[in-house]
Amino acid sequence: MNERAIIIGAGQAGAQAAQSLRQAGYKGFVSLIGEEPAAPYQRPPLSKAYLQGALDADRLALKPDAFYAQNDIALMPGVRALRIDRRAARVETDGGESLAYDRLLIATGAPPRRLTCPGTDLSGVHYLRTIADCEGLKTPLRDARRIVIVGAGYIGLEVAASARKAGREVAVLEAQDRVLQRVAGPEISAFFDALHRAHGVDLRLGAMLAGFEGRGRIERAVLASGERIDCEAVLIGVGAAPAVELAAEAGLVIDNGVATDEHACTSDPVIFAAGDCASHPSRLYGRRMRLESVPNAIEQAKVAGANMA
């Protein structure tokens, strides 16, 4: 009887793992489960070229649709995995299916961190991770007078640049004392700080957010200092958190993500993890770490696919 490999998460890591399974000679069934209705696509352009309208949706695709059929990969878009039953070796979905597996990969990524301050439920408050999120941002990028961005990380600064290119006023609120503090050294931070200010971004460092105000729709951001900044839209980009709920409920070890060894294997020998949701031991740094990046997702997925095969 043919073996079955299931991949939960149809992002960069999941799509690469499916490809790597076949390249490693895996002959069993391969199912790629993704919550979004679209086939696997690139996310980095969502805050840049695609948001600006310079890239068509079909060019976001990681592979042409024919690739999955040609490689006998069962793509399952718009399907959410609800539970991993390790004892029965099955994945239960929101469509009522119970899918058996011999090998399983968790590639659920890292969704944006959500703020809980007052006003986050107002219309016009946005996050950015999916194509649908990006489509929602295109209207204020076209029509808003001012957009407030919370967080001066990659997403925040990239959307700020896109909004300024579209002619919008932009205020960026960063609680830390420099931009990109989590991912770059002071010299790089200083370079991008100066670059954004030179392009007219109102960059506020050490700015603590108290909440948002509006009558059903966002009208202003409120700082802890009491200052109010009028705006028609808000983007929140305050980092991401690994999606570990499925793994945790299944009893897998969690350590700043789904904990894996150097072979991308979790605490269950037939379950693997890769991408933004997974942490791994780094020989270079001598500690366990989790990297939110496309190159890391690709390389981890290659390792996972090869070892699953």
Side-chain angles (χ1 to χ4, degrees):
M1 183 176 179
N2 276 342
E3 291 193 336
R4 295 176 179 269
I6 292 179
I7 299 170
I8 303 175
Q12 188 83 56
Q16 178 63 56
Q19 177 180 344
S20 294
L21 270 167
R22 291 303 188 213
Q23 289 173 335
Y26 187 75
K27 301 299 183 184
F29 293 103
V30 177
S31 298
L32 181 56
I33 300 174
E35 290 189 17
E36 294 185 62
Y41 62 88
Q42 308 172 65
R43 295 193 191 275
L46 297 183
S47 55
K48 301 184 283 287
Y50 185 72
L51 180 59
Q52 296 167 17
L55 189 70
D56 294 334
D58 56 358
R59 292 181 59 196
L60 288 177
L62 290 171
K63 296 289 183 182
D65 291 343
F67 168 83
Y68 302 100
Q70 289 168 356
N71 287 274
D72 199 19
I73 296 167
L75 187 58
M76 301 174 65
V79 175
R80 182 166 172 250
L82 296 179
R83 180 171 176 263
I84 298 169
D85 184 341
R86 291 170 57 196
R87 180 172 295 181
R90 288 184 172 272
V91 174
E92 298 173 5
T93 75
D94 60 354
E97 294 177 282
S98 180
L99 306 173
Y101 66 83
D102 296 284
R103 296 287 186 274
L104 175 67
L105 175 69
I106 300 171
T108 44
R113 294 183 186 276
R114 301 269 164 170
L115 291 184
T116 58
C117 59
T120 53
D121 58 341
L122 291 170
S123 176
V125 176
H126 300 266
Y127 294 84
L128 181 57
R129 186 184 188 226
T130 68
I131 289 178
D133 294 336
C134 187
E135 293 298 334
L137 262 179
K138 285 184 177 181
T139 298
L141 214 70
R142 183 184 65 242
D143 300 334
R145 183 177 68 86
R146 180 185 291 123
I147 297 173
V148 166
I149 296 172
V150 182
Y154 285 131
I155 295 295
L157 293 185
E158 287 169 359
V159 173
S162 295
R164 285 300 296 145
K165 188 173 182 179
R168 309 283 72 84
E169 294 182 23
V170 179
V172 176
L173 312 179
E174 172 53 57
Q176 303 300 320
D177 60 3
R178 60 183 177 90
V179 305
L180 299 173
Q181 187 174 67
R182 189 172 69 91
V183 296
E187 295 83 1
I188 300 298
S189 292
F191 173 84
F192 282 105
D193 183 301
L195 182 66
H196 280 267
R197 292 183 192 275
H199 283 80
V201 174
D202 179 10
L203 187 54
R204 314 275 190 104
L205 302 178
M208 301 300 296
L209 179 71
F212 306 108
E213 294 178 341
R215 290 163 289 186
R217 183 166 188 83
I218 186 72
E219 295 177 13
R220 64 193 67 86
V222 183
L223 304 186
S225 64
E227 181 183 0
R228 285 167 166 76
I229 303 174
D230 291 340
C231 60
E232 291 76 39
V234 166
L235 171 73
I236 298 173
V238 292
V244 300
E245 294 78 11
L246 276 175
E249 289 169 4
L252 299 176
V253 173
I254 307 298
D255 186 354
N256 184 29
V258 185
T260 70
D261 61 15
E262 62 270 32
H263 307 292
C265 189
T266 71
S267 51
D268 185 315
V270 300
I271 301 180
F272 297 74
D276 291 359
C277 73
S279 68
H280 66 280
S282 170
R283 186 175 299 178
L284 178 63
Y285 291 102
R287 62 181 175 87
R288 177 167 292 279
M289 62 192 307
R290 187 176 63 83
L291 293 173
E292 296 169 13
S293 76
V294 170
N296 181 71
I298 291 172
E299 296 308 318
Q300 278 190 334
K302 288 178 179 178
V303 171
N307 286 312
M308 290 169 72

